Amino acid sequence: MRWPRSLVVGAILSLVFLGGAALSFVWTPYDIELLDIPAKLQSPSLAHPLGTDQLGRDILSMIMMGARTSIAVALLAVGIGMGLGVPLGLLAAARRGSLLDEAIMRGNDLIFAFPSLVIAILITAVFGAGAMNAIIAIGIFNIPVFARLTRGGALSFWSREFILAARVSGKSPARISVEHILPNIANLMIVQGTIQFSLGILAEAALSYIGLGAQPPTASWGRMLADAQTLASIAPHVALVPGLAIVFMVLGLNLMGDGLRDLLDPRIRVTRT
Amino acid sequence: MIRYTLGRLVSLGLSLVVASLVIFAVVEVVPGDPAAYMLGVNARPDTVAALRAELGLDGTVQERYLGWVTGMLQGDFGVSYTYRTPVSEMIGDRIWVSLPLALYALSLSVLIAFPAGIYAASRRGRPGDIGVMGATQLGVAIPNFWFAMILVLIFAIKLRWFSAGGFSGWDAGVWSGLKSLTLPAIALALPQAAILARVMRSSLLDMLGEDFIRTARAKGLSRRQALWRHAVRNALIPVLTIIGLQFSFLLAGGIVIEQVFFLPGLGRLIFQAISARDLIVVESVVMLLVFLVIVVNFAVDLAYAAVDPRLRTRA
């Protein structure tokens, strides 16, 4: 089997960041809590491959620690979306046409109608800025994405013969959903999960840029950019590096999502808005 | 069409009611008493109580919710806790930054995305298509606020074509107002244009595979003529939906972009209000944004039900 090129490129890009984040648990080139003011705003050099920031901290180390924050927030937000959205979607499909189905789908429409960033800002502003609230705020908007996709995918299987066979053999709708439907729509979930993961990275960056995401001393790419804003004209690298990190991470995940879609099933189509 | 419109109207009303309940509930749970916060730690309890009464904070939850909603319906958004000015005036000043910014960005997004999407679809699989699609991959991966910072660095600081931030106001003329919104609008529009171009391309490619295109070709139209006369118009239906959705992204995304450019819009108003615990302002501005988004999506739904009769039956 030939692997799609976008999958290979995307996976390599994503693995670089995942690897960097994993490595940061045991080793970073410098300790990011140690300030070294005399070495502030240095351009990239051998000692500091990505330069230093306004407090003399090593930017490569900050990027590694920031990757950890971004990945953790986005991954948990996808977890919330899948954890609640998939069961809701399966339930709606198993009881299609019922009041429950209607209620679940209308609820989804309602969440979709909200401008997600505004509500995320409201949530984090009210409950306090922080990584946990950012996860919840981003996660809530993942629920309807997965619920809709699951319901749509599941409905196309409920009319198939092997499901009919399972029903005839006396399996309950819940068991059929878990044993027969879920494995068949797992591909869809993986592809959409990758896309929501990349959207989560962008959302986390935006929230922490406006000061509502992870708080100091936790490193985050969005806050690195906020700190860099006034320094961009003196030391462009402090603004360029974290931004490029976001771009490459998101690009990698998107390419991986496209590649996975081609690999797993050329017929499925995933919506992306 | 009338039944469809009525059905949509009911769900519009329902969405707005639920939205207002959610926003009210979220803001209600904020710890801390705005009156005590405004007066400081040394305030006497009776002064705090008097201020609470003045701000209408002493009623029951239901009374306050109903008061807030009926007020808004009459255009009265309450009085800001910190500035002691009507919230509607504060919104009125700032909406003339946020709304034009969103519309400006939306126009740019359409102006970039339509030609790019049509070009890519007409060159399917050729280098032109691959180039455009590659650019859109990059476009969706760039965070708009970072792109905004890069634009400032290049066009405001290095080239000095634009100012790095602030808003000159519309009094100084439409041109200077538009000029101060140009970089923010570009930053907002680019990622949205990338998404829109992809939708435009795939929608066009779907159309080009339809029977009526083959008929048009069989009648002797060239590929290009068939594309322009028949495919583009039909491809616009899904594109319209996305444009409707994008308006809400642009309005909400403006909140972040306003921070980059220090624009005195609704976004900055929200942040100032949050840090000053001016809850009535937060509540009302968020409600206004949600209202605008829901109403625009409603209008888009109606617009394409009017264009495409098949969609009416889905209600």
Side-chain angles (χ1 to χ4, degrees):
Chain A
M1 185 169 61
R2 270 200 65 202
W3 289 48
R5 201 187 307 154
S6 56
L7 178 61
V8 177
V9 177
I12 290 173
L13 273 177
S14 310
L15 279 177
V16 167
F17 286 100
L18 284 171
L23 185 62
S24 76
F25 281 99
V26 289
W27 177 83
T28 50
Y30 293 85
D31 183 350
I32 63 158
E33 283 171 32
L34 278 183
L35 310 183
D36 182 11
I37 307 287
K40 68 177 183 182
L41 298 176
Q42 284 180 1
S43 296
S45 62
L46 274 179
H48 297 281
L50 298 177
T52 58
D53 74 353
Q54 73 281 6
L55 299 173
R57 293 173 295 186
D58 177 54
I59 292 183
L60 177 62
S61 308
M62 301 265 295
I63 291 285
M64 286 167 71
M65 298 295 278
R68 215 153 95 178
T69 313
S70 286
I71 292 169
V73 169
L75 213 55
L76 288 170
V78 171
I80 291 178
M82 274 197 189
L84 293 171
V86 172
L88 281 174
L90 285 174
L91 193 64
R95 301 269 182 86
R96 64 195 166 284
S98 71
L99 208 65
L100 186 70
D101 177 21
E102 188 68 14
I104 292 174
M105 295 323 286
R106 287 296 141 259
N108 279 336
D109 289 349
L110 201 73
I111 299 184
F112 259 129
F114 279 84
S116 50
L117 188 66
V118 176
I119 303 302
I121 286 170
L122 184 68
I123 291 173
T124 44
V126 166
F127 296 103
M132 200 58 220
N133 289 332
I135 292 168
I136 295 170
I138 300 167
I140 289 175
F141 290 94
N142 281 335
I143 299 172
V145 175
F146 286 104
R148 270 190 190 183
L149 192 69
T150 304
R151 181 177 177 274
L155 278 182
S156 68
F157 282 103
W158 269 104
S159 54
R160 297 276 283 270
E161 267 142 21
F162 72 97
I163 299 293
L164 195 66
R167 290 175 72 174
V168 170
S169 70
K171 285 192 179 177
S172 68
R175 241 186 105 182
I176 293 176
S177 293
V178 175
E179 288 179 11
H180 299 289
I181 308 265
L182 198 56
N184 275 299
I185 57 170
N187 286 354
L188 275 174
M189 297 302 133
I190 293 169
V191 174
Q192 191 68 44
T194 319
I195 291 169
Q196 296 309 119
F197 188 11
S198 83
L199 292 175
I201 301 267
L202 282 173
E204 192 276 334
L207 282 178
S208 53
Y209 171 75
I210 54 180
L212 296 175
Q215 295 300 301
T218 312
S220 92
W221 293 345
R223 224 192 35 258
M224 286 173 77
L225 284 174
D227 291 341
Q229 192 168 352
T230 48
L231 304 164
S233 54
I234 336 167
H237 70 278
V238 290
L240 285 176
V241 173
L244 287 175
I246 300 171
V247 172
F248 283 127
M249 173 97 218
V250 172
L251 190 64
L253 286 169
N254 283 343
L255 287 174
M256 201 163 89
D258 285 356
L260 279 173
R261 182 179 47 198
D262 294 345
L263 181 75
L264 294 173
D265 188 344
R267 283 163 306 168
I268 61 168
R269 300 193 47 188
V270 178
T271 50
R272 167 192 271 158
T273 48
Chain B
M1 188 67 200
I2 291 171
R3 253 195 78 179
Y4 177 81
T5 312
L6 284 177
R8 295 293 310 156
L9 259 176
V10 170
S11 79
L12 170 82
L14 212 63
S15 307
L16 289 175
V17 170
V18 177
S20 66
L21 279 170
V22 170
I23 292 166
F24 185 78
V26 168
V27 176
E28 268 298 300
V29 300
V30 182
D33 175 2
Y37 187 84
M38 282 164 61
L39 292 171
V41 278
N42 297 323
R44 282 171 31 206
D46 55 330
T47 332
V48 175
L51 185 63
R52 283 177 63 86
E54 191 195 321
L55 295 172
L57 288 169
D58 52 354
T60 63
V61 175
Q62 294 94 317
E63 279 171 11
R64 273 179 291 148
Y65 173 73
L66 284 177
W68 177 57
V69 170
T70 47
M72 277 194 302
L73 288 175
Q74 294 158 356
D76 171 15
F77 289 78
V79 175
S80 157
Y81 298 157
T82 38
Y83 296 98
R84 301 291 179 94
T85 48
V87 179
S88 52
E89 273 177 27
M90 302 172 79
I91 291 176
D93 289 343
R94 284 155 177 91
I95 201 160
W96 295 114
V97 177
S98 295
L99 210 53
L101 176 61
L103 291 173
Y104 192 176
L106 191 66
S107 324
L108 284 179
S109 166
V110 169
L111 279 176
I112 300 168
F114 274 33
I118 294 171
Y119 175 78
S122 68
R123 299 282 158 109
R124 182 183 197 172
R126 285 194 268 171
D129 180 24
I130 295 166
V132 170
M133 292 320 283
T136 61
Q137 274 288 7
L138 207 58
V140 294
I142 294 177
N144 57 16
F145 61 90
W146 180 64
F147 187 53
M149 286 168 64
I150 303 296
L151 288 177
V152 168
L153 195 59
I154 298 173
F155 294 102
I157 295 172
K158 292 271 186 288
L159 296 173
R160 298 182 182 277
W161 289 355
F162 295 92
S163 67
F167 183 65
S168 58
W170 296 108
D171 298 335
V174 176
W175 173 242
S176 79
L178 277 181
K179 201 176 165 196
S180 36
L181 291 183
T182 297
L183 287 185
I186 295 173
L188 264 176
L190 186 89
Q192 300 301 319
I195 296 171
L196 199 59
R198 292 177 84 90
V199 175
M200 184 77 207
R201 174 184 176 272
S202 70
S203 170
L204 253 181
L205 288 179
D206 283 350
M207 281 304 142
L208 288 174
E210 293 276 338
D211 288 344
F212 68 88
I213 296 295
R214 198 172 49 206
T215 310
R217 297 267 285 138
K219 273 170 33 192
L221 261 63
S222 71
R223 215 183 124 78
R224 183 156 305 214
Q225 284 171 320
L227 179 103
W228 281 103
R229 286 196 204 160
H230 299 283
V232 170
R233 274 170 61 183
N234 284 292
L236 283 179
I237 292 172
V239 173
L240 263 180
T241 325
I242 303 295
I243 292 179
L245 281 175
Q246 290 206 331
F247 180 74
S248 70
F249 280 104
L250 292 171
L251 210 52
I255 295 180
V256 178
I257 293 294
E258 281 171 18
Q259 297 292 309
V260 184
F261 291 94
F262 306 101
L263 291 174
L266 292 175
R268 284 194 74 76
L269 182 61
I270 290 187
F271 282 108
Q272 285 162 358
I274 285 170
S275 48
R277 293 207 171 261
D278 204 341
L279 300 184
I280 185 82
V281 176
V282 178
E283 237 173 17
S284 301
V285 176
V286 170
M287 188 62 216
L288 181 76
L289 287 175
V290 171
F291 172 81
L292 283 172
V293 166
I294 293 180
V295 168
V296 167
N297 287 339
F298 167 77
V300 171
D301 273 0
L302 281 194
Y304 61 68
V307 176
D308 186 346
R310 284 171 301 180
L311 293 167
R312 287 176 214 163
T313 50
R314 263 199 347 210

